[in-house]
Amino acid sequence: DAKTTQPTSMDCAEGRAANLPCNHSTISGNEYVYWYRQIHSQGPQYIIHGLKNNETNEMASLIITEDRKSSTLILPHATLRDTAVYYCIVRGGSQGNLIFGKGTKLSVKP
Amino acid sequence: DAGVTQSPTHLIKTRGQQVTLRCSPKSGHDTVSWYQQALGQGPQFIFQYYEEEERQRGNFPDRFSGHQFPNYSSELNVNALLLGDSALYLCASSLTSGAYYGYTFGSGTRLTVV
């Protein structure tokens, strides 16, 4: 079973920041938090991952709470092309497989 | 740089038949994982191959089998197809050794069993 809890759906206005929350209260010390997204009819796309520090790349920022029990993915300026299902995944090490939940369906509206 | 390539893109099979799906990993990747995604659900892990051996397996019956070749490409075989096997089958490649890189997924093979 997935180790994360995410809202089923969220809306965001185009150009505004999209903040997607994820709860992972049972995360252990060596497990990373990963975010992927899946645009309709495509394979999932890697966005970002982190252990305990906040991370930023060209796509998004990842904010992890100090107790590591929750995190937030931030898309700073959402566009219509960011409409997708976003998956938050907890995974240990480089060999563990990815266990997907149902994710959050983000709808970016004009 | 080519990403993950899967073939065919779409396939229709009859119940009881057998099917083989193919996957070429991203250049430089040595590990291939297969996922099944039913409509409206997240991808479910089937198994992972590394060094031509099955390294991990999810909760799927023995009807699902796989193979990895020396060039790291992989096949997924499903025997005795059931209607419930209709799904999008995703292949993901990754690099096991060295620094971690995110999994790269292909666009999948849409299998319909009638």
Side-chain angles (χ1 to χ4, degrees), chain A:
Chain A
D1 290 346
K3 297 182 179 181
T4 62
T5 304
Q6 299 178 253
T8 302
S9 63
M10 293 181 65
D11 290 340
C12 177
E14 188 178 19
R16 304 297 296 269
N19 296 281
L20 290 90
C22 178
N23 287 321
H24 32 79
S25 58
T26 62
I27 192 170
S28 58
N30 66 344
E31 290 182 317
Y32 287 74
V33 179
Y34 296 86
W35 283 84
Y36 283 74
R37 73 180 182 183
Q38 188 172 23
I39 296 170
H40 185 61
S41 297
Q42 298 181 22
Q45 175 190 23
Y46 167 80
I47 302 173
I48 198 167
H49 75 284
L51 182 62
K52 53 184 176 181
N53 297 321
N54 298 338
E55 302 287 345
T56 296
N57 62 20
E58 65 278 4
M59 289 182 68
S61 294
L62 174 60
I63 309 298
I64 303 174
T65 58
E66 191 169 344
D67 63 7
R68 301 211 322 124
K69 292 185 177 182
S70 65
S71 61
T72 301
L73 177 74
I74 301 172
L75 307 179
H77 304 288
T79 70
L80 299 179
R81 288 178 293 180
D82 291 322
T83 292
V85 177
Y86 287 76
Y87 297 99
C88 170
I89 299 166
V90 165
R91 173 177 179 254
S94 63
Q95 298 186 14
N97 67 81
L98 297 176
I99 300 176
F100 290 81
K102 292 190 176 182
T104 296
K105 181 174 174 55
L106 175 68
S107 298
V108 180
K109 299 181 184 299

